[in-house]
């Protein structure tokens, strides 16, 4: 397992799972809807940051692989 898969499995997937759980509670709640909305916004923001970081990691990995390929040739 490479570090990209590990990052996805340990960071992104738990946040996505948490977001889905919050959404379930948000739609089933009557009294705490605003609290769940605030929490959901924070999780969405953090998830977007993690997606951006993941994209950067992918770009770095591609550059590294190209560098390795060029150095072998």
């Amino acid at each position: 397992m490479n570090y990209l898969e590990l990052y996805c499995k340990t960071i992104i997937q738990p946040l996505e799972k948490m977001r889905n759980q919050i959404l379930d509670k948000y739609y089933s709640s009557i009294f705490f809807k605003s609290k769940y909305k605030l929490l959901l916004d924070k999780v969405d923001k953090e998830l977007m940051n993690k997606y951006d970081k993941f994209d950067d990691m992918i770009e770095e990995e591609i550059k590294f692989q190209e560098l390795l390929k060029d150095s072998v040739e």
Side-chain angles (χ1 to χ4, degrees):
M1 179 181 303
N2 65 18
Y3 72 99
L4 294 174
E5 292 171 350
L6 184 63
Y7 182 82
C8 187
K9 186 174 184 174
T10 59
I11 305 295
I12 293 179
Q13 288 178 353
L15 274 174
E16 288 174 340
K17 183 178 178 183
M18 181 189 309
R19 183 183 186 282
N20 290 337
Q21 291 172 343
I22 294 169
L23 272 175
D24 290 342
K25 290 181 180 181
Y26 173 78
Y27 286 119
S28 64
S29 174
I30 295 173
F31 301 109
F32 300 108
K33 206 164 195 147
S34 64
K35 302 287 184 187
Y36 286 127
K37 177 66 175 154
L38 290 174
L39 184 58
L40 188 60
D41 289 342
K42 289 180 182 181
V43 170
D44 283 342
K45 183 178 179 180
E46 188 64 29
L47 198 54
M48 289 306 297
N49 289 337
K50 300 302 180 190
Y51 284 143
D52 290 340
K53 183 176 180 180
F54 187 65
D55 286 342
D56 293 341
M57 291 169 64
I58 289 173
E59 289 176 11
E60 290 175 8
E61 179 67 19
I62 291 170
K63 289 177 184 176
F64 180 70
Q65 293 297 327
E66 288 175 353
L67 181 67
L68 284 177
K69 181 182 172 188
D70 291 343
S71 66
V72 171
E73 294 177 345

